[in-house]
């Protein structure tokens, strides 16, 4: 019997992962999965592969192996013209040659057998290139060589196979090998021929067994479109996106923690007699997901099986047959971007200059950024903003977030360290200066500036681009503290990145950003959608919630997804989710909010927090928040989530809210859910014992507590100089609360801004015996280092 290494063609069942030198990484993986994972339920279409032996045979038979080397004698890798010339000559040499007759007959014979296996004459197949050095952990070769889809009939298969062989000398493939230092003449091209799945009338896409932005490994990311999956590669459309949380998926839960509807207005379908053509997606299909929840979970389970089998993060292609409804895995390779990265370093920005700043203000974060000034005084002008510019404005609100994400830095005239611009900048890791008072008047559009937030509380703006250096810390070598260090998280998008910080969980997960950015609509407008009389308002809501017939479900599911992203990022560590704490003016800014919100002279001290939850005008909206938490814990399995009630003025209010939480089914004796109360009003301090009879502990909100103890408006930059959380009166309040919580053996943490700003304040809290300090992401390492020094 002919040994495997001498064969020109092998069936998938004959191939294992050890055969990379014979069939390349792509085909070796397909053979390995076909042989070993089908029995575990992973559906993989059959096929065969031309081996490296076939490639070398083709070159020697046509006497072109030596000719190729001659072509490369004059190759200059630093010259684009030389690259183009070398590639073209090499491909032409292969394409004008002929198959040896015996190889040609063997290819046809295998094609006829697979057609017979699937009961179709001239079956449609995918013809894919697989280089013998590709899909290694350090070099994927993805997209370097050719793929041909919907190939039917023997002559078309032979032509596509020859094109694949020639694609070993695509210009991009030659350049890639040069970059990776691979020998052009020691790599062969294997050709995989696989039964084509009718995704042209179904859907297809890509799966990663980690988050591609951050490298977070506890999720499966599934991208999905209608039609053949090649459309994703073209970048012409935005696919549907699903994140599935691996640990609880494996425990039997259904944790689709993110579902984002894409912009799928085009797709690829079969073209006759072969190949693909582009066509439009119907309006109806554009507004529905290309996978059902059940299909998402099946694909996620398969992805976990594949990853567990290979013991390495995977980049997987899948397809759904629209005729049979069956799902298939058609390819898997190692993920090569994040899987080898080290995530245990922290970077600190340091600037040295003798220049005097042209502007100062309150610094947010500890980074440095530079770019051209773009002054925007009105939200209607945000389309003028260009990526990489410095956003300069009076102040921001949630409507500004889309361009804030694009900015290199942010400067505002107004606001303090807990203003909207400050909070969002921290979440996004952007340098930001608030309370500058006159940035919009002093700076000029197009001027290049540097925004420096590396010097503590004082933020500085310099003319031009200033040089700086970055200091790196090894997180694994940081000092160990007795006090738990936790992190504050608002936007779900930064949760995966923040999970790499050395923290014990999330001390404050805010709902407000999720409601502002993901939901955008007032919850009562969703509840009363059918009763709304304003047709323009109804149309706007319908456009946002198009995939949900029940608008209440839209709120619950979107909120649950946002919370779950944060909970999944830090699982199994505790995540404390604060129920919504909008003021009336902020709720009023939501779509439809004007119908349900009164105008208050001082919203900061008005109808907010607990007082809203039991009020007949808001109670149903609060119960929707409870439903979102239930979904997070019971359907997604994220039991590490606990909840927190903000701005609870009296113990009586606390009892009313707790009663509602229990009636919602969220808290029962066997559930284990913890319910905390924010300590941010003097009454919380004075009546701490009574509040602790109702709640499982307290989390100190030092921003509001300082404001209400000292009578200092926290949003007024002008009077910030009078006092702050370090004031003796505030510290006396904190000492009392910490002491009582310890005596009652109840949780006591702090999630306010002060420990992030003032290291000495953090030291005070540690000495008082606080259980946990929750910090903004950008100050976690700094604070640990400062506390570690004091410990010594």
């Amino acid at each position: 019997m002919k040994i495997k290494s001498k064969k020109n063609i092998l069936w998938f069942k004959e191939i294992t992962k050890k055969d990379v030198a014979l069939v390349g990484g792509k085909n070796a993986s397909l053979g390995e999965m076909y042989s070993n994972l089908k029995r575990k339920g992973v559906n993989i279409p059959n096929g065969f592969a031309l081996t490296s032996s076939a490639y070398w045979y083709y070159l020697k038979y046509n006497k072109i192996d030596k000719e190729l080397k001659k072509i490369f004698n004059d190759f200059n890798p630093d010259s684009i013209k030389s690259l183009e010339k070398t590639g073209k000559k090499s491909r032409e040499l292969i394409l004008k040659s002929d198959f040896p007759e015996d190889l040609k007959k063997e290819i046809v014979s295998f094609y006829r057998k697979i057609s017979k296996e699937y009961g179709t004459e001239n079956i449609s197949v995918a013809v894919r290139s697989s280089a013998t050095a590709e899909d290694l952990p350090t070099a994927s070769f993805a997209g370097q060589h050719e793929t041909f889809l919907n190939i039917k009939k023997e002559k078309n298969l032979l032509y596509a196979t020859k094109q694949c062989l020639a694609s070993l000398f695509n210009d991009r493939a030659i350049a890639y090998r040069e970059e990776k230092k691979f020998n052009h003449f020691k790599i062969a091209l294997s050709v995989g021929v696989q039964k084509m799945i009718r995704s042209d009338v179904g859907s297809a896409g890509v799966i990663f067994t980690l988050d591609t932005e951050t490298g977070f490994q506890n999720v499966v990311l599934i991208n999905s479109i209608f039609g053949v999956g090649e459309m994703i590669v073209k970048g012409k459309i935005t696919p549907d996106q699903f994140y599935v949380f691996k640990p609880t998926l494996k425990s039997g839960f259904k944790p689709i923690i993110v579902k984002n509807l894409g912009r799928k207005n085009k797709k690829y379908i079969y073209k006759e007699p072969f190949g693909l053509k582009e066509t439009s997606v119907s309006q109806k299909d554009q507004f529905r997901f290309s996978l059902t929840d059940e299909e998402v979970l099946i694909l996620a389970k398969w992805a976990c099986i594949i990853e567990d089998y290979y013991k390495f993060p995977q980049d997987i292609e899948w397809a759904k047959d629209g005729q049979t409804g069956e799902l298939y895995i058609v390819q898997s390779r190692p993920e090569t971007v994040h899987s080898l990265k080290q995530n245990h370093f922290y970077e600190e920005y340091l600037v040295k200059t003798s220049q005097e700043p042209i502007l100062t203000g309150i610094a947010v974060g500890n980074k440095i950024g530079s770019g051209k000034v773009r002054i925007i005084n009105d939200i209607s002008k945000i389309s003028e903003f260009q990526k990489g510019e410095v956003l300069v404005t009076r102040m921001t609100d949630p409507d500004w977030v889309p361009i804030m994400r694009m900015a290199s830095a942010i400067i505002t005239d107004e606001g303090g360290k807990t203003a909207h611009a400050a909070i969002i900048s921290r979440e996004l890791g952007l340098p930001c200066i608030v309370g500058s008072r006159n940035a919009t008047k002093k700076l000029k559009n197009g001027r290049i500036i540097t925004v420096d937030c590396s010097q503590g509380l004082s933020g500085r703006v310099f003319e031009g681009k200033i040089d700086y250096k970055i200091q790196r810390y090894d997180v694994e070598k940081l000092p160990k503290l007795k006090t738990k260090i936790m992190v504050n998280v608002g936007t779900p998008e930064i949760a995966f990145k923040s999970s790499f910080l050395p923290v014990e969980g999330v001390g404050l997960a805010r709902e407000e950003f999720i409601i502002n950015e993901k939901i955008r609509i007032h919850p009562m407008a969703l509840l009363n959608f059918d009763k709304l009389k304003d047709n323009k308002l109804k149309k706007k809501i319908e456009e946002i919630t198009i995939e949900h017939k029940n608008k209440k479900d839209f709120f619950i599911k979107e909120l649950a997804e946002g919370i779950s992203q944060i909970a999944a990022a830090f699982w199994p560590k505790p995540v404390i989710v604060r129920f919504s704490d909008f003021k009336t003016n902020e709720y009023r800014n939501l779509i439809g909010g004007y119908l349900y919100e009164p105008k208050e002279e001082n919203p900061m001290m008005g109808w907010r927090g607990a007082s809203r939850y039991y009020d007949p005008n808001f109670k149903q909206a609060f119960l929707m928040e409870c439903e979102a938490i239930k979904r997070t814990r019971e359907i997604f399995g994220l039991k590490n989530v606990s909840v927190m009630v903000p701005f609870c003025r009296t113990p009586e209010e606390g009892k009313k809210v707790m009663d509602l939480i229990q009636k919602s089914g969220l808290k029962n004796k066997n559930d284990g859910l913890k319910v905390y109360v924010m300590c941010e009003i003097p009454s919380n301090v004075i009546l701490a014992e009574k509040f602790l009879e109702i709640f499982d502990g307290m989390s100190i909100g030092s921003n509001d507590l300082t404001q209400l103890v000292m009578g200092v408006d926290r949003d007024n930059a002008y009077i910030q100089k009078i006092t702050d959380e370090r004031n003796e009166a505030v510290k006396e309040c904190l000492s009392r609360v910490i002491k009582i919580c310890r005596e009652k053996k109840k949780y006591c943490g702090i999630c306010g801004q002060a420990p992030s700003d003032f290291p000495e304040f953090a030291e005070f809290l540690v000495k008082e015996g606080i259980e946990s300090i929750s910090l903004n992401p950008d100050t976690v390492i700094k604070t640990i280092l400062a506390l570690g020094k004091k410990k010594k």
Side-chain angles (χ1 to χ4, degrees):
M1 184 179 176
K2 197 174 184 182
I3 60 171
K4 188 194 290 188
S5 61
K6 299 294 183 183
K7 287 186 176 182
N8 290 323
I9 303 179
L10 295 169
W11 289 107
F12 284 171
K13 67 181 179 182
E14 300 176 275
I15 298 169
T16 74
K17 62 185 177 184
K18 295 178 182 177
D19 294 320
V20 173
L22 197 58
V23 295
K26 195 179 296 179
N27 289 332
S29 178
L30 270 171
E32 183 74 20
M33 289 193 298
Y34 189 85
S35 302
N36 297 287
L37 298 185
K38 275 180 74 73
R39 68 175 78 110
K40 295 188 176 185
V42 182
N43 215 3
I44 300 159
N46 197 11
F48 58 87
L50 274 72
T51 66
S52 57
S53 297
Y55 172 80
W56 298 123
Y57 180 29
Y58 184 90
L59 296 191
K60 287 176 183 175
Y61 175 82
N62 289 287
K63 297 184 173 68
I64 57 175
D65 45 344
K66 292 177 182 176
E67 289 295 315
L68 284 168
K69 289 181 180 178
K70 286 181 184 177
I71 292 171
F72 271 80
N73 282 340
D74 299 324
F75 174 50
N76 177 5
D78 297 323
S79 166
I80 296 295
K81 284 187 178 179
S82 177
L83 174 65
E84 291 171 346
K85 182 180 177 183
T86 303
K88 186 180 179 183
K89 279 188 175 182
S90 301
R91 293 191 297 275
E92 285 175 348
L93 195 61
I94 292 172
L95 289 172
K96 72 180 183 183
S97 301
D98 295 315
F99 283 106
E101 196 60 33
D102 57 338
L103 180 58
K104 182 178 178 179
K105 285 180 180 178
E106 199 173 358
I107 295 169
V108 168
S109 171
F110 271 72
Y111 176 66
R112 288 174 181 171
K113 285 177 183 175
I114 197 169
S115 295
K116 188 177 180 182
E117 178 186 337
Y118 284 101
T120 305
E121 190 178 356
N122 290 318
I123 192 172
S124 174
V125 291
V127 183
R128 304 178 189 273
S129 305
S130 180
T132 56
E134 73 177 5
D135 294 339
L136 304 174
T138 55
S140 71
F141 280 82
Q144 305 302 319
H145 310 112
E146 298 297 343
T147 291
F148 299 90
L149 303 176
N150 185 31
I151 301 300
K152 291 182 262 189
K153 297 186 179 178
E154 294 159 10
K155 66 174 184 178
N156 295 330
L157 172 59
L158 291 167
Y159 177 75
T161 302
K162 193 184 287 189
Q163 289 278 351
C164 281
L165 296 177
S167 75
L168 187 63
F169 295 96
N170 281 342
D171 296 353
R172 60 183 182 267
I174 296 170
Y176 190 83
R177 288 195 296 271
E178 284 288 332
E179 180 192 338
K180 296 291 182 181
K181 296 184 169 38
F182 283 101
N183 188 312
H184 298 289
F185 308 107
K186 289 188 177 179
I187 293 176
L189 201 291
S190 168
V191 180
V193 180
Q194 186 179 38
K195 192 249 182 197
M196 190 83 183
I197 305 305
R198 290 302 305 268
S199 58
D200 63 311
V201 289
S203 55
V206 182
I207 303 171
F208 291 91
T209 60
L210 47 63
D211 174 45
T212 54
E213 291 299 313
T214 63
F216 178 69
Q217 294 196 14
N218 260 356
V219 288
V220 174
L221 167 60
I222 301 173
N223 288 324
S224 174
I225 59 171
F226 289 117
V228 180
E230 294 298 295
M231 184 64 78
I232 287 180
V233 181
K234 301 293 181 187
K236 291 184 176 181
I237 58 173
T238 304
D240 296 334
Q241 191 180 64
F242 309 90
Y243 278 93
V244 182
F245 185 54
K246 292 180 198 171
T248 57
L249 175 72
K250 293 175 180 179
S251 300
F253 290 94
K254 299 178 179 180
I256 305 174
I257 61 172
V258 176
K259 276 179 72 174
N260 292 327
L261 189 68
R263 183 183 53 81
K264 314 178 298 292
N265 57 342
K266 297 175 182 177
K267 66 177 179 177
Y268 276 140
I269 60 172
Y270 282 8
K271 181 174 73 173
E272 293 301 331
F274 60 86
L276 306 174
K277 67 178 180 180
E278 187 180 296
T279 189
S280 297
V281 174
S282 70
Q283 280 289 112
K284 183 182 176 183
D285 281 350
Q286 285 182 41
F287 293 106
R288 73 179 180 91
F289 286 102
S290 44
L291 282 172
T292 65
D293 285 2
E294 184 183 356
E295 289 166 343
V296 169
L297 293 169
I298 289 170
L299 287 173
K301 286 173 186 173
W302 288 356
C304 289
I305 290 170
I306 296 168
E307 181 182 49
D308 289 346
Y309 183 80
Y310 283 117
K311 295 180 174 54
F312 202 86
Q314 295 291 297
D315 171 356
I316 300 164
E317 292 180 25
W318 65 271
K320 176 186 173 182
D321 193 312
Q323 291 182 331
T324 66
E326 288 184 279
L327 293 165
Y328 292 87
I329 299 296
V330 296
Q331 198 176 121
S332 188
R333 62 173 74 89
E335 192 280 337
T336 57
V337 177
H338 288 285
S339 49
L340 298 178
K341 280 185 179 178
Q342 293 181 316
N343 293 302
H344 54 88
F345 287 99
Y346 165 72
E347 295 178 338
E348 188 173 45
Y349 291 68
L350 303 169
V351 62
K352 288 184 179 180
T353 178
S354 57
Q355 249 193 72
E356 285 295 315
I358 57 174
L359 191 72
T360 61
I362 302 168
V364 176
N366 63 349
K367 293 185 178 180
I368 298 166
S370 59
K372 289 182 180 178
V373 170
R374 175 70 67 175
I375 301 168
I376 298 183
N377 290 313
D378 187 83
I379 189 69
S380 63
K381 306 286 186 183
I382 64 172
S383 60
E384 297 174 2
F385 193 80
Q386 301 295 312
K387 188 173 183 180
E389 292 180 329
V390 176
L391 173 62
V392 180
T393 187
R394 189 174 69 85
M395 63 190 299
T396 67
D397 62 36
D399 289 335
W400 293 73
V401 172
I403 63 167
M404 293 173 77
R405 295 184 191 284
M406 298 161 57
S408 60
I410 296 169
I411 306 172
T412 66
D413 288 345
E414 300 180 15
K417 289 184 74 68
T418 52
H420 178 268
I423 293 170
I424 290 294
S425 295
R426 287 188 202 98
E427 299 283 358
L428 298 175
L430 292 173
C432 173
I433 293 176
V434 295
S436 69
R437 304 187 71 179
N438 60 354
T440 53
K441 292 183 176 65
K442 198 162 186 179
L443 299 176
K444 302 295 180 187
N445 274 329
R447 192 175 178 180
I448 294 176
I449 59 170
T450 296
V451 178
D452 172 26
C453 295
S454 65
Q455 306 299 305
L457 279 174
S458 178
R460 305 180 297 176
V461 179
F462 295 103
E463 185 80 58
K465 190 170 184 179
I466 302 296
D467 289 332
Y468 58 89
K469 69 176 183 176
I470 302 172
Q471 183 147 353
R472 301 182 86 210
Y473 298 98
D474 188 339
V475 171
E476 293 180 354
K477 294 179 181 177
L478 289 173
K480 305 297 178 189
L481 306 175
K482 287 184 180 179
T483 306
K484 290 179 185 175
I485 299 298
M486 301 177 86
V487 67
N488 298 332
V489 180
T491 53
E493 289 81 6
I494 67 130
F496 293 161
K497 179 184 177 184
S498 299
S499 72
F500 295 106
L501 288 167
V503 294
E504 298 299 315
V506 176
L508 172 63
R510 303 179 184 93
E511 285 188 2
E512 293 83 62
F513 295 110
I514 302 167
I515 295 169
N516 254 325
E517 293 191 41
K518 285 175 72 73
I519 297 170
R520 296 182 286 159
I521 305 162
H522 195 287
M524 296 306 293
L526 291 165
L527 268 167
N528 297 309
F529 178 75
D530 293 332
K531 298 176 185 176
L532 295 177
K533 294 176 182 178
D534 186 334
N535 289 329
K536 283 185 179 178
L537 175 61
K538 285 190 81 169
K539 186 181 178 184
K540 195 170 186 178
I541 293 173
E542 186 63 55
E543 286 172 356
I544 294 170
T545 63
I546 188 109
E547 73 268 25
H548 293 273
K549 288 183 181 178
N550 186 330
K551 305 310 176 187
K552 177 182 172 182
D553 285 348
F554 168 75
F555 182 91
I556 293 167
K557 289 180 179 178
E558 292 293 322
L559 183 57
E561 285 176 22
I563 292 168
S564 298
Q565 238 178 302
I566 299 170
F570 293 88
W571 186 92
K573 296 171 183 174
V575 171
I576 302 173
V577 177
R578 185 179 68 190
F579 286 119
S580 63
D581 191 25
F582 282 124
K583 291 78 177 173
T584 48
N585 59 325
E586 293 168 331
Y587 258 126
R588 200 176 168 82
N589 287 335
L590 295 174
I591 295 166
Y594 68 92
L595 293 171
Y596 305 98
E597 298 296 326
K599 287 187 177 179
E600 294 183 307
E601 290 300 321
N602 189 354
M604 183 74 78
M605 294 176 67
W607 190 37
R608 60 178 285 204
S611 62
R612 298 184 73 96
Y613 304 157
Y614 58 84
D615 191 298
N617 292 319
F618 193 81
K619 183 167 74 171
Q620 292 305 313
F622 175 67
L623 291 173
M624 286 160 61
E625 292 183 40
C626 293
E627 281 296 319
I629 299 290
K630 274 178 71 177
R631 183 175 176 82
T632 298
R633 287 173 59 87
E634 295 174 12
I635 294 177
F636 299 160
L638 291 159
K639 299 279 187 177
N640 59 325
V641 165
S642 52
V643 293
M644 183 155 61
V645 178
F647 225 76
C648 186
R649 293 174 170 99
T650 68
E652 289 71 29
E653 276 198 321
K655 287 174 184 175
K656 287 179 182 178
V657 173
M658 186 62 80
D659 185 52
L660 272 177
I661 292 172
Q662 288 171 335
K663 283 181 179 175
S664 75
L666 180 57
K667 183 173 175 65
N668 56 61
K669 290 180 182 178
N670 302 318
D671 187 69
L673 175 75
K674 298 287 185 185
V675 182
Y676 304 114
V677 66
M678 290 287 291
C679 177
E680 54 191 340
I681 307 170
S683 63
N684 302 141
V685 178
I686 296 164
L687 301 175
E689 290 94 340
K690 291 188 176 181
F691 279 102
L692 289 172
E693 288 173 10
I694 302 162
F695 295 101
D696 295 307
M698 287 183 152
S699 181
I700 299 162
S702 56
N703 304 330
D704 268 335
L705 188 59
T706 302
Q707 174 177 240
L708 295 171
V709 168
M710 304 308 303
V712 174
D713 179 359
R714 71 185 217 187
D715 281 342
N716 189 331
Y718 187 70
I719 60 171
Q720 294 287 310
K721 61 181 179 286
I722 297 172
T723 191
D724 54 44
E725 289 87 340
R726 293 170 293 182
N727 186 279
E728 187 180 353
V730 179
K731 289 167 81 173
E732 283 287 338
C733 291
L734 301 188
S735 294
R736 171 177 164 76
V737 169
I738 295 168
K739 181 183 176 185
I740 292 170
C741 285
R742 285 171 66 89
E743 287 173 354
K744 301 280 185 185
K745 295 189 168 125
K746 295 281 183 104
Y747 170 81
C748 185
I750 186 168
C751 58
Q753 182 65 33
S756 297
D757 290 342
F758 312 117
E760 68 272 29
F761 187 74
E763 291 163 24
F764 158 76
L765 293 167
V766 170
K767 286 177 184 174
E768 292 297 310
I770 199 163
E771 184 176 335
S772 76
I773 298 175
S774 194
L775 303 159
N776 297 316
D778 59 338
T779 59
V780 166
I781 306 280
K782 255 198 229 187
T783 306
I784 291 173
L785 288 169
L787 291 173
K789 284 178 185 174
K790 289 292 176 183
K791 182 183 168 188
K792 291 177 183 178

